[in-house]
């Protein structure tokens, strides 16, 4: 047991050094041809969206993938933390100029999309966040390769590069669509009963990624769909979208088209449907008060187990 604890402590220490290295990296703006340094900005609009679901201390419960973090002799893959609204859901995605100019009009109406262009903007920001998370992983593995050039570190580094290469194509296509050069995206927004949660994510088809992971020249965009959960007064807006060109089996298109309106399902089933969405997300937060809701208690108690099951069954 002492050897196991010693190994975990050494692993945690080396991992923390790698994390610190990846966090210090000067990430560039995701916009094409922009070499400016990215600033930390909110993935979900701070005012009024995040403010509206925070508690009296202006705190939120943020859920995120906490990959490779052994604590107390076990693997905590998915964790939650209480954060103030100024720090919650913040990532270095865009330079200050693009962060302001791209989203100014959308945020003037509280990030509630009123056009396809608005939907594309939300999808673009979500895709850039997924790319950023993988780039952090890549730098982490790159640091570990320098410290210890074992095969596993090198394989994980190359896997991250493969993911980013194809995620770059997703981001580029969304940018072209924002400039009016593409009409292959479909979106649907559904108004649902209010729940104090917010999310913005791009869910990748893991099978599509794994099938081509060893092909270094394979650059076709990853098949994925976009999710945004936007609290808006007394309702929760669900925005779903996908690029129909790469949804070759039509699964995401059918999911978007067939997703039930809130009036079509019982409230408990509606809540469990939201659970199914959140389990697949890596970028979401909620009011800490939701922990006290008895309807949601099973979800929070079993969150890590549910997440692991989703990953294993992909």
């Amino acid at each position: 047991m002492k050897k196991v604890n010693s190994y975990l402590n050494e692993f945690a220490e080396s991992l923390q050094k790698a994390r610190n290295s990846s966090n210090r990296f000067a990430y560039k703006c995701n916009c094409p041809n922009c070499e400016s340094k990215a600033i930390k900005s909110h993935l979900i609009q701070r005012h009024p969206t995040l403010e509206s679901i925070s508690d009296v201390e202006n705190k939120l419960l943020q859920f995120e993938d906490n990959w490779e973090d052994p604590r107390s002799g076990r693997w905590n893959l998915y964790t939650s933390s209480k954060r103030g609204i100024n720090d919650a859901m913040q990532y270095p995605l865009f330079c200050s100029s693009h962060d302001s100019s791209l989203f100014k009009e959308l945020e003037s109406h509280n990030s509630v999309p009123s056009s396809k262009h608005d939907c594309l903007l939300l999808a673009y920001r979500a895709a850039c966040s997924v790319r950023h998370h993988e780039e952090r992983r890549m730098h982490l593995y790159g640091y570990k390769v320098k410290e210890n050039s074992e095969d596993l570190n090198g394989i994980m580094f190359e896997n991250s590069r493969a993911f980013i290469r194809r995620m770059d194509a997703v981001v580029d296509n969304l940018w072209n669509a924002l400039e009016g050069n593409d009409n292959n995206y479909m979106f649907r927004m559904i108004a649902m009963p209010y729940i104090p949660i917010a999310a913005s994510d791009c869910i990748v088809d893991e099978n599509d990624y794994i099938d081509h992971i060893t092909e270094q020249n394979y650059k076709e965009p990853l098949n994925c769909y976009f999710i945004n959960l936007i609290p808006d007064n007394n309702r929760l807006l669900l925005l779903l979208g996908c690029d129909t060109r790469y949804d070759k089996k039509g699964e995401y298109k059918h999911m978007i088209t067939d997703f039930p309106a809130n009036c079509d399902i019982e409230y408990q089933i509606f809540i469990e449907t939201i659970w199914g969405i959140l389990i697949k997300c890596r970028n979401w937060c909620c009011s800490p008060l939701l922990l006290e809701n008895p309807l949601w208690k099973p979800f929070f108690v079993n969150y890590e187990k549910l997440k692991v099951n989703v990953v294993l069954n992909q």
Side-chain angles (χ1 to χ4, degrees), residues 25-288:
F25 188 83
Y27 295 97
K28 292 181 181 179
C29 177
N30 277 282
C31 292
N33 303 317
C34 183
E35 296 295 318
S36 298
K37 181 180 177 181
I39 62 167
K40 277 194 172 183
S41 54
H42 286 91
L43 180 61
I44 297 170
Q45 188 174 350
R46 185 179 72 86
H47 174 77
T49 308
L50 293 181
E51 286 181 354
S52 71
I53 62 173
S54 62
D55 62 14
V56 292
E57 297 178 339
N58 285 327
K59 296 286 182 68
L60 292 164
L61 199 61
Q62 179 172 329
F63 288 77
E64 58 187 348
D65 292 9
N66 197 26
W67 24 274
E68 294 192 24
D69 188 11
R71 298 179 182 180
S72 303
R74 65 186 294 274
W75 297 88
N76 287 310
L77 295 176
Y78 309 100
T79 60
S80 62
S81 58
K82 228 179 178 184
R83 297 185 183 179
I85 57 173
N86 290 329
D87 299 321
M89 305 299 289
Q90 272 202 335
Y91 307 102
L93 304 179
F94 308 103
C95 66
S96 57
S97 175
H98 280 117
D99 185 63
S100 174
S101 61
L102 276 175
F103 304 103
K104 185 177 181 180
E105 184 177 346
L106 173 64
E107 294 186 347
S108 69
H109 43 89
N110 303 337
S111 292
V112 176
S114 59
S115 65
K116 188 171 185 178
H117 188 269
D118 288 345
C119 296
L120 287 165
L121 276 173
L122 291 170
Y124 182 70
R125 187 157 59 183
C128 287
S129 75
V130 171
R131 188 203 178 282
H132 167 72
H133 282 289
E134 195 61 43
E135 187 178 5
R136 282 188 60 222
R137 281 188 174 92
M138 184 185 73
H139 291 304
L140 181 146
Y141 291 126
Y143 178 91
K144 290 174 75 175
V145 168
K146 290 180 182 178
E147 294 292 304
N148 180 5
S149 58
E150 65 180 55
D151 289 342
L152 181 60
N153 289 334
I155 291 170
M156 299 304 289
F157 178 78
E158 291 301 326
N159 288 353
S160 281
R161 287 183 61 183
F163 185 97
I164 291 171
R165 184 168 58 247
R166 297 188 62 194
M167 203 66 211
D168 281 339
V170 173
V171 171
D172 288 345
N173 279 355
L174 283 163
W175 182 265
N176 288 333
L178 284 167
E179 298 209 316
N181 301 322
D182 197 315
N183 195 33
N184 293 288
Y185 293 87
M186 67 173 294
F187 293 94
R188 181 183 173 206
M189 187 162 68
I190 304 159
M192 302 186 294
Y194 177 79
I195 298 175
I197 58 177
S200 180
D201 216 332
C202 169
I203 312 299
V204 170
D205 179 349
E206 290 291 336
N207 290 326
D208 178 36
Y209 163 56
I210 292 170
D211 286 346
H212 303 281
I213 197 170
T214 60
E215 302 174 37
Q216 293 187 1
N217 295 321
Y218 194 82
K219 297 180 180 180
E220 184 170 298
L222 283 163
N223 184 27
C224 55
Y225 64 97
F226 313 105
I227 287 177
N228 280 271
L229 285 165
I230 308 164
D232 179 50
N233 296 319
N234 61 347
R235 59 184 182 168
L236 179 67
L237 300 176
L238 169 63
L239 177 66
L240 296 170
C242 73
D243 185 339
T244 57
R245 289 171 295 182
Y246 306 105
D247 181 25
K248 295 180 172 115
K249 296 180 181 178
E251 293 178 20
Y252 297 155
K253 182 178 179 180
H254 287 304
M255 177 192 72
I256 294 168
T257 304
D258 300 339
F259 194 93
N262 67 284
C263 58
D264 296 333
I265 55 178
E266 296 177 7
Y267 189 67
Q268 182 61 38
I269 298 175
F270 156 69
I271 289 179
E272 292 173 3
T273 301
I274 297 298
W275 293 355
I277 291 172
L278 295 177
I279 282 298
K280 294 186 177 182
C281 288
R282 74 179 76 193
N283 295 318
W284 70 280
C285 61
C286 70
S287 167

